[in-house]
């Protein structure tokens, strides 16, 4: 390289690093590993940005799952995940996590293990347009290795699972299990199950009736070994010899914790510079039948949907094992779509981060069942059921389905039909005479017992203010009835499918009349399950009911009943006038949503205006959205120290936040709610009439999503001050984060596309050393242009300007604004790499990562004391010692983990 070339090269290096390689900025407290169903749901903690790969994976409720993965490099073993507590005199140490990335379908960790980079990809495909794929209860773990010093290294990989996947914590000491290992020309798999499964039963959120599979493809000239033995035996064998003994299974069936049987599959790559193809394990948790379904007293059992294609679990497994490459391709395309859509709304990537964390979480709360039912009366249809994960075992909780609605609308609105069908057919049956909608169809997932009516409840579980709970009749019927009407119209509009509206018109009309006759305008003495507030005259609740009446008007129109259309339409119009006069503060500056009881003491988050944005209603004038946007925008102020760091509370927050802005309001100690609802904040962001305020509010949510100072996962409800989870860990309610992508008719954006294409052409057309410079320039241009657009567009960029709902607006009608600050596909190609941002190479590790790892390698204590001694006479004692250490560790971890999460067991959230 001549001196002349230096500057250009320098620019190329520094700028392409700046543009293409983003250092990890998103640090969630836990990341999903294998999550496909409510019962195949494994996570790992990354609290405090933990960079050691020495953590136990855990089930979503924080109970440890035995699952471990080692890589052995030149005789030294490193954990890629899992912690088995081997004493320090073994040649085993933890790997160092160089980077963690989360996409909607994948969690990817690059782990340094000696002179090797191991990239671990946890793939849980999401494909809501293919019910066979979406219902397959299998997840992939793929490892790619590459030498970091250019030299060949002797490499072996190992992964095992224990029986802890088979039942909940409280039963593990007593449940006996059985197992077998099957080898065919294509694959080898371990299969394990409880000796006495209990159909449709759970213990501690884990099912007691499933079969676990651990599998790997054979062939490809790979040296694969497997075994079944006690954990210490198999793991030690691998650490010492780099493989296990496929001909030495211990098939003495016993209980899960007795000499801990584990089920490893190991691969010996020999001496290589890199793995040409990834090493892929398939992990499955299969239940068939999956749902016990009672309709009008008739019991049927429903099978998982994939059985329409694969009659047996083995056939499904065989497909899954053979499909990794294809699944990965689909996953990358899926992720790229989400990336593009999210970047249109929030170019800083923060929305994409949150959607990446939420997507698998929401889809993993579902069981998709096949049309062939085993039972007499149950007719022939596809049904999907949602578990109220993060809270309890309710089946298809309507308020959670409503919160998650934007995600379903975004990905594939047709998927809502099988989710709604069971709710509707259950309530349409002759045995149901309730005038209002049920809140769910069972309280013991996976048993669907029938509609649960709110009035049957004496205590509202979720978020009741304790001092009020005896005074409230019909606690949540109003909210759930409104939710159902809004969801039904949303499905019809976005899926272009009015079949449910026709089939259940009578039911919808009954519900609308309930809202009208009893509760529509001013829901006295009703708790909204949205927010748990016991407030008579909740303005949020009232406006949702009015939108529900407007939804009924549109439902009537789609079904062609003109008289009803006029009636509900005019009722909604007149109610909204009253509502506006009462619910909005009299002052324009600021204009806040107040309660309806005349006092303007407190403000609420206006999240229930979102149905207008989503469905294209015109009940609330655009100018009011603009005023609210300005006023709430002034409240957020995350950087001022006085504002909200982690999103906005749904009612005015506690006084301890200090000056909360323009409002000087006496604090009412009985009316302070510190909980922040993730979905309702995203709904609010979607209604904002200004992109920068929207981005600002989403940014505060991201601060919470990326806050790893506590051990809590991204939850549905959390504390506004501390950012600590209150409730709803792993809840599907996080689907609400898609609200900013699901806005009907968003004017003012569409004419920006030309300019952006110009930029892409420029960026795409250049080559060589100036690419980085131009990319910088493009960024600058983008930035300036965005500012210009903002100034031009002003506050007109959002909801509610359509005068008439468009019945069949195809998929989210969010205005096609191109990804202004993102290099185009062409850019990546011409730059000579097909690498998209989420595939981009990582930054060189900063700081002391390599020293840490090298320290492990050269640590003399890490050399095994008995490296060549094999299993000698003292083995028994030694293993006993090891065993008790491991058991202690597990017990401590489990007590610790469970103890930290009391509210999953139903304790009330925090109020002050
Ligand atoms: C396969 O791997 C095992 C375990 O590391 C090793 O003992 C064996 O020699 C290998 N076989 C071949 C053919 O390389
Ligand atoms: C299999 O494991 C059990 C439990 O650890 C043990 O009692 C038994 O001796 C083992 N069998 C063989 C053949 O090693
Ligand atoms: C189930 O529905 C499918 C398609 O709707 C139909 O072809 C089939 O005949 C039905 N089977 C029964 C048993 O009703
Ligand atoms: C299915 O549910 C019904 C009613 O909830 C119950 O009576 C029945 O025992 C359940 N069946 C099984 C196999 O658990
Ligand atoms: C909606 O469905 C109708 C009838 O099924 C069809 O004619 C129409 O083209 C569809 N509209 C869109 C936008 O797909
Ligand atoms: C139209 O609806 C109103 C209100 O439901 C009802 O009073 C009236 O009889 C209906 N008219 C017809 C022609 O159905
Ligand atoms: C609904 O009511 C609004 C306000 O009164 C009116 O402008 C609109 O035309 C009505 N739409 C229908 C379909 O009746
Ligand atoms: C290993 O990973 C580090 C950090 O991501 C990266 O800088 C380095 O280039 C990688 N090495 C190889 C050979 O891929």
């Amino acid at each position: 390289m001549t001196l002349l070339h230096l500057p250009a090269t320098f620019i190329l290096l520094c700028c392409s690093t700046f543009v293409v390689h983003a250092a990890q900025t998103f640090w969630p407290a836990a990341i999903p590993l294998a999550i496909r169903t409510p019962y195949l749901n494994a996570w790992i903690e990354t609290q405090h940005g933990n960079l050691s790969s020495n953590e136990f994976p855990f089930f979503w409720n924080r109970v440890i799952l035995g699952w471990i993965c080692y890589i052995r490099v030149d005789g030294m073993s490193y954990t890629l995940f899992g912690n088995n507590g081997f004493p320090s005199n073994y040649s085993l140490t933890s790997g160092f996590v160089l980077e963690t990335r989360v996409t909607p379908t994948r969690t990817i960790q690059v782990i340094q293990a000696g002179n090797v980079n191991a990239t671990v990809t946890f793939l849980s495909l999401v494909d809501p347009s293919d019910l066979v794929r979406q219902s397959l209860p299998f997840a992939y773990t793929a490892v790619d290795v590459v030498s970091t010093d250019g030299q060949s290294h002797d490499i072996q990989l190992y992964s095992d699972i224990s029986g802890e996947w088979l039942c909940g914590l409280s039963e593990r000491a007593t449940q006996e299990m059985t197992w077998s290992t099957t080898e065919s020309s294509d694959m080898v798999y371990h299969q394990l199950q409880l000796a006495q499964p209990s159909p449709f039963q759970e213990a501690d959120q884990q099912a007691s009736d499933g079969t676990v599979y651990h599998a790997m493809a054979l062939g490809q000239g790979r040296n694969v070994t497997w075994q079944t033995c006690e954990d210490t035996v198999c793991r030690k064998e691998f650490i010492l010899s780099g493989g296990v003994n496929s001909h030495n299974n211990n098939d003495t069936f016993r209980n899960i914790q007795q000499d801990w049987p584990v089920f490893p599959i190991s691969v010996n790559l020999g001496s290589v510079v890199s793995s040409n193809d990834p090493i892929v394990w398939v992990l499955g948790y299969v239940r068939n039948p999956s749902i016990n379904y009672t309709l009008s007293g008739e019991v049927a059992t429903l099978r998982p949907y994939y059985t329409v294609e694969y009659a047996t679990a083995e056939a499904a497994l065989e497909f899954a094992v053979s499909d990794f490459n294809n699944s990965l391709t689909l996953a990358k395309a899926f992720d790229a779509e989400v990336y593009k859509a999210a970047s249109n709304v929030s170019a800083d990537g923060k929305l994409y981060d949150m959607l990446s964390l939420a997507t698998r979480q929401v889809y993993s709360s579902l069981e998709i069942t096949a049309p062939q039912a085993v039972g007499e009366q149950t007719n022939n249809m596809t049904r999907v059921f949602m578990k109220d994960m993060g809270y309890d075992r309710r089946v298809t909780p309507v308020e959670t389905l409503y919160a998650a609605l934007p995600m379903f609308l975004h990905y594939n609105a047709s998927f809502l039909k099988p989710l709604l069908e069971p709710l509707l057919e259950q309530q349409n049956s002759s045995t149901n005479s309730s005038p209002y909608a049920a809140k769910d169809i069972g309280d013991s997932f996976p048993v669907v017992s029938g509609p649960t009516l709110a009035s049957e409840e004496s205590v509202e579980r979720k978020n009741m203010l304790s001092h009020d709970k005896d005074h409230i009749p019909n606690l949540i019927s109003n909210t759930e009835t409104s939710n159902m009407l809004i969801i039904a119209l949303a499905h019809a509009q976005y899926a272009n499918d009015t079949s449910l509206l026709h089939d259940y018109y009578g039911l919808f009309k009954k519900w609308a009349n309930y809202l009208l006759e009893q509760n529509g305008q001013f829901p006295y003495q009703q708790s909204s399950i949205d927010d748990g507030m016991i407030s008579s005259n909740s303005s949020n609740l009232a406006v949702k009911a009015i939108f529900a009446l407007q939804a009924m008007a549109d439902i009537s129109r789609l079904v062609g009943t003109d008289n009803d259309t006029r009636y509900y339409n005019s009722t909604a119009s007149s109610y909204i006038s009253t509502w506006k006069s009462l619910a909005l503060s009299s002052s324009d500056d600021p204009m806040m949503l107040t309660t309806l009881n005349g006092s303007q003491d407190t403000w609420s988050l206006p999240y229930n205006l979102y149905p207008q944005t989503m469905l294209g209603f015109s009940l609330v004038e655009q100018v009011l959205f603009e005023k609210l946007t300005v006023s709430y925008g002034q409240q957020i102020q995350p950087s001022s120290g006085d504002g909200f760091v982690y999103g906005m509370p749904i009612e005015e927050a506690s006084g301890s936040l200090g000056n909360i802005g323009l409002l000087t309001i006496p604090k009412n100690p009985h009316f302070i709610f510190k909980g922040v609802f993730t979905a309702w904040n995203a709904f609010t962001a979607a209604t904002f009439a200004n992109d920068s305020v929207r981005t600002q509010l989403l940014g505060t949510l991201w601060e919470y999503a990326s806050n790893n100072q506590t051990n809590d996962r991204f939850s549905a409800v959390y504390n506004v001050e501390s950012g600590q989870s209150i409730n709803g860990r792993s809840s599907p309610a996080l689907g609400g984060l898609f609200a900013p992508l699901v806005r009907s008719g968003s004017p003012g954006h569409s004419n920006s596309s030309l300019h952006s294409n110009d930029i892409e052409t420029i960026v795409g057309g250049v080559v060589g050393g100036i690419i980085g410079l131009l990319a910088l320039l493009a960024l600058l241009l983008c930035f300036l242009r965005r500012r210009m657009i903002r100034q031009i567009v002003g506050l007109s960029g959002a909801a509610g300007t359509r005068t008439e709902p468009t019945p069949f607006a195809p998929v989210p009608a969010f205005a096609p604004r191109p990804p202004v600050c993102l290099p185009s596909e062409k850019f990546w190609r011409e730059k000579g790499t097909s690498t998209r941002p989420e595939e981009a190479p990582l930054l060189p590790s900063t700081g002391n990562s390599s020293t840490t790892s090298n320290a492990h390698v050269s640590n003399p204590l890490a050399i095994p004391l008995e490296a060549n001694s094999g299993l000698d006479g003292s083995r028994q004692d030694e293993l006993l010692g090891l065993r008790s250490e491991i058991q202690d560790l597990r017990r401590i971890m489990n007590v610790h983990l469970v103890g930290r999460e009391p509210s999953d067991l139903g304790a009330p959230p925090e109020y002050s």
Side-chain angles (χ1 to χ4, degrees):
M1 179 185 301
T2 68
L3 213 56
L4 205 61
H5 287 118
L6 260 179
T9 310
F10 176 76
I11 288 171
L12 171 62
L13 282 178
C14 98
C15 296
S16 61
T17 297
F18 173 62
V19 176
V20 180
H21 311 233
Q24 180 177 345
T25 54
F26 186 48
W27 295 92
I31 47 176
L33 301 188
I35 66 170
R36 294 285 292 154
T37 73
Y39 305 114
L40 178 58
N41 218 285
W43 297 70
I44 204 160
E45 264 190 15
T46 43
Q47 193 184 349
H48 300 300
N50 179 13
L51 296 179
S52 159
S53 64
N54 200 33
E55 289 288 319
F56 287 113
F58 59 85
F59 194 65
W60 70 262
N61 67 350
R62 273 223 140 65
V63 168
I64 288 171
L65 291 170
W67 188 19
I68 204 161
C69 188
Y70 299 138
I71 185 168
R72 190 170 179 268
V73 181
D74 301 329
M76 179 75 184
S77 296
Y78 303 82
T79 52
L80 293 181
F81 55 86
N83 175 346
N84 66 358
F86 268 92
S88 58
N89 58 345
Y90 279 79
S91 55
L92 171 70
T93 185
S94 50
F96 184 86
V97 180
L98 294 166
E99 170 143 2
T100 298
R101 280 172 289 159
V102 182
T103 78
T105 59
R106 290 169 291 161
T107 296
I108 302 159
Q109 291 198 305
V110 182
I111 296 168
Q112 186 167 25
N115 288 322
V116 158
N117 278 2
T119 302
V120 188
T121 300
F122 299 94
L123 168 61
S124 290
L125 185 62
V126 174
D127 192 349
S129 302
D130 181 339
L131 294 186
V132 170
R133 269 183 203 284
Q134 186 58 45
S135 65
L136 285 169
F138 300 104
Y140 298 103
T141 307
V143 179
D144 288 282
V145 296
V146 57
S147 157
T148 51
D149 61 2
Q151 305 297 307
S152 292
H153 295 281
D154 192 33
I155 294 174
Q156 295 86 30
L157 287 142
Y158 169 102
S159 180
D160 75 38
I161 55 167
S162 76
E164 286 159 297
W165 296 74
L166 286 173
C167 70
L169 184 61
S170 60
E171 299 195 333
R172 287 179 186 170
T174 52
Q175 286 280 5
E176 181 162 315
M177 63 171 169
T178 62
W179 58 79
S180 61
T181 304
T182 307
E183 179 192 357
S184 71
S185 55
D186 299 337
M187 65 171 176
V188 59
Y189 65 91
H190 295 293
Q191 168 183 345
L192 41 150
Q193 55 273 313
L194 295 180
Q196 291 175 318
S198 312
F200 309 115
Q201 300 287 306
E202 277 188 2
D204 314 311
Q205 306 287 344
Q206 281 184 262
S208 309
D209 60 354
T211 303
V212 173
Y213 292 89
H214 195 213
M216 181 177 275
L218 294 179
Q220 308 157 327
R222 285 231 165 108
N223 182 357
V224 180
T225 52
W226 56 88
Q227 194 173 349
T228 301
C229 50
E230 11 176 340
D231 55 352
T232 48
V233 173
C234 279
R235 291 168 186 175
K236 185 172 161 183
E237 192 174 334
F238 174 78
I239 290 167
L240 295 180
S241 75
V244 289
N245 185 345
S246 307
H247 306 291
N248 190 23
N249 287 346
N250 183 320
D251 287 335
T252 307
F253 297 151
R254 52 191 188 267
N255 83 43
I256 289 167
Q257 299 191 355
Q258 184 193 331
D259 296 338
W260 298 92
V262 297
F263 305 88
I265 300 176
S266 176
V267 180
N268 186 349
L269 295 179
S271 185
V272 294
V273 176
S274 69
S275 53
N276 291 325
D277 296 310
I279 292 85
V280 184
W281 289 267
V282 176
L283 183 57
Y285 186 83
V286 174
R287 297 175 53 252
N288 183 6
S290 52
I291 296 282
N292 176 353
Y293 193 69
T294 303
L295 179 63
S296 308
E298 288 286 338
V299 182
T301 53
L302 306 181
R303 299 193 177 290
Y305 190 89
Y306 68 81
T307 57
V308 304
E309 189 99 25
Y310 305 105
T312 63
E314 287 70 24
L317 176 65
E318 193 158 12
F319 169 75
V321 166
S322 70
D323 194 59
F324 172 75
N325 287 336
N326 197 16
S327 289
L328 184 62
T329 305
L330 291 171
K332 285 179 178 173
F334 185 91
D335 293 344
E337 288 286 312
V338 182
Y339 185 72
K340 200 171 142 206
S343 303
N344 280 348
V345 170
S346 156
D348 58 13
K350 291 180 175 176
L351 182 58
Y352 177 68
D353 287 341
M354 294 192 282
L355 303 186
S356 294
L357 212 46
T359 297
R360 279 169 289 173
Q361 176 168 326
V362 178
Y363 281 101
S364 77
S365 70
L366 307 175
E367 290 281 5
I368 305 169
T369 65
Q372 319 97 321
V374 183
E376 290 297 313
Q377 297 289 308
T378 307
N379 73 25
N380 181 1
M381 66 170 80
T382 301
R383 297 177 181 81
V384 178
F385 303 91
M386 173 186 278
K387 181 174 169 177
D388 196 11
M389 292 175 64
Y391 293 102
D392 53 28
R393 296 176 60 183
R394 289 169 58 208
V395 184
T396 316
V398 174
E399 76 285 357
T400 306
L401 178 60
Y402 176 75
L405 183 60
M407 177 181 286
F408 292 113
L409 295 178
H410 176 78
Y411 282 135
N412 179 0
S414 305
F415 193 87
L416 279 163
K417 184 175 179 180
L419 257 168
L420 284 170
E421 196 84 73
L423 282 164
L424 294 171
E425 74 171 347
Q426 290 277 352
Q427 297 181 74
N428 206 34
S429 77
S430 55
T431 51
N432 172 44
S433 59
S434 166
Y436 49 83
K439 66 193 192 99
D440 57 52
I441 47 175
D443 59 9
S444 308
F445 198 97
V447 176
V448 181
S449 47
T452 314
L453 297 170
S455 61
E456 290 165 3
E457 299 237 307
S458 55
V459 174
E460 170 42 40
R461 171 189 48 80
K462 259 186 188 169
N463 294 302
M464 174 76 71
L465 287 176
S466 57
H467 65 276
D468 257 350
K469 70 180 161 212
D470 298 331
H471 305 261
I472 310 300
N474 295 345
L475 291 171
I476 54 174
S477 51
N478 189 300
T479 317
E480 302 291 34
T481 304
S482 300
N483 288 340
M484 285 301 296
L485 290 167
I486 292 168
I487 298 170
L489 177 63
H491 165 254
Q493 269 197 20
Y494 281 77
N496 190 18
D497 174 1
T498 56
S499 58
L500 289 178
L501 306 187
H502 285 283
D503 291 353
Y504 299 104
Y505 187 73
L507 194 59
F508 295 134
K509 192 168 168 179
K510 178 168 80 171
W511 288 340
N513 289 341
Y514 170 78
L515 291 178
L516 269 181
E517 287 159 19
Q518 305 200 23
N519 300 281
Q521 193 168 6
F522 302 117
Y524 287 100
Q525 293 294 302
Q526 290 226 1
S527 159
S528 158
I529 200 167
D530 277 355
D531 55 16
M533 303 302 300
I534 307 299
S535 48
S536 45
N537 295 337
S538 155
S539 48
N540 254 318
L541 186 49
V543 77
K544 189 193 262 184
I546 296 168
F547 284 140
L549 289 172
Q550 184 64 51
M552 188 63 212
D554 285 19
I555 288 171
S556 305
R557 188 167 47 75
L558 293 172
V559 170
T561 50
D562 293 342
N563 190 31
D564 288 351
T565 309
R566 275 193 299 280
Y567 179 55
Y568 294 111
N569 183 58
S570 68
T571 311
S573 298
S574 81
Y575 280 10
I576 201 74
S577 311
T578 316
W579 182 84
K580 279 184 284 199
S581 69
L582 292 173
L584 300 174
S585 56
S586 44
S587 153
D588 260 13
D589 183 21
M591 173 177 276
M592 307 298 280
L593 199 62
T594 68
T595 55
L596 281 183
N597 60 9
S599 101
Q600 304 214 339
D601 284 3
T602 54
W603 52 260
S604 326
L605 197 65
Y607 62 93
N608 270 339
L609 295 179
Y610 176 61
Q612 162 149 335
T613 309
M614 170 175 55
L615 296 169
F617 296 153
S618 51
L619 288 169
V620 178
E621 292 84 351
Q622 177 63 18
V623 65
L624 297 182
F625 277 90
E626 289 165 9
K627 286 179 177 167
L628 288 166
T629 301
V630 171
S631 304
Y632 283 87
Q634 284 162 347
Q635 294 290 325
I636 303 170
Q637 301 178 6
S639 53
S640 74
D642 290 340
F644 296 104
V645 179
Y646 299 124
M648 298 183 88
I650 56 166
E651 297 282 345
E652 182 195 350
S654 116
S656 60
L657 277 173
N659 171 18
I660 58 162
L662 300 170
L663 297 177
T664 50
I665 289 169
K667 300 294 183 296
N668 176 347
H670 296 298
F671 206 68
I672 288 170
F673 184 74
K674 288 207 268 182
V676 173
F677 286 72
T678 311
W680 303 156
N681 268 265
F683 279 28
T684 305
T687 65
F688 279 158
N690 175 297
D691 288 344
S692 70
V693 178
R694 180 179 4 271
T695 301
Q696 193 174 32
L697 180 54
L698 291 174
T700 62
L701 283 185
W702 182 90
E703 288 298 334
Y704 165 59
S706 186
N707 169 18
N708 60 36
Q709 294 313 297
T710 76
N711 52 41
D712 291 317
R713 297 186 294 300
F714 198 15
S715 301
V717 189
Y718 59 93
N719 184 297
V720 68
E721 290 171 359
S722 65
Q724 274 195 309
S725 174
I726 291 176
N727 228 334
R729 298 164 188 83
S730 302
S731 168
L734 288 192
L737 287 163
F738 280 75
L741 302 182
V742 182
R743 303 189 300 151
S744 179
S746 174
H749 293 302
S750 40
N751 51 8
S752 62
S753 56
L754 180 66
H755 195 115
S756 164
N757 284 340
D758 291 343
I759 289 180
E760 286 178 2
T761 311
I762 294 166
V763 171
V766 296
V767 288
I770 53 170
I771 283 184
L773 192 57
L774 277 180
L776 260 183
L777 195 64
L779 266 185
L780 189 64
L781 271 178
C782 288
F783 176 70
L784 291 175
R785 195 172 63 83
R786 280 178 59 81
R787 279 180 41 153
M788 264 167 53
I789 288 170
R790 250 182 242 141
Q791 282 161 12
I792 294 163
V793 171
L795 296 177
S796 71
T801 50
R802 279 171 34 171
T803 50
E804 189 63 20
T806 306
F808 292 142
V811 204
F814 181 67
R817 205 152 49 100
V820 285
C821 286
L822 291 166
S824 66
E825 195 73 53
K826 203 172 166 207
F827 171 86
W828 298 114
R829 268 202 307 275
E830 303 214 8
K831 199 180 165 301
T833 166
S834 58
T835 321
R836 298 191 57 84
E838 80 273 28
E839 306 298 331
L842 301 159
L843 266 184
S845 61
T846 53
N848 49 15
S849 60
S850 51
T851 39
T852 310
S853 198
N854 289 338
H856 286 306
V857 179
S858 56
N859 179 0
L861 290 178
I863 305 301
L865 295 180
E866 21 52 311
N868 298 313
S869 65
L871 301 179
D872 58 26
S874 64
R875 172 187 173 280
Q876 203 58 30
D877 289 349
E878 180 195 328
L879 286 185
L880 282 177
L882 208 51
R883 158 112 33 251
S884 76
E885 266 192 61
I886 291 166
Q887 279 173 355
D888 282 353
L889 189 55
R890 276 175 197 266
R891 205 172 52 241
I892 290 164
M893 287 296 291
N894 268 328
V895 167
H896 180 53
L897 291 169
V898 173
R900 284 188 309 203
E901 194 158 45
S903 53
D904 269 351
L905 306 173
E910 179 181 327
Y911 297 88
S912 65

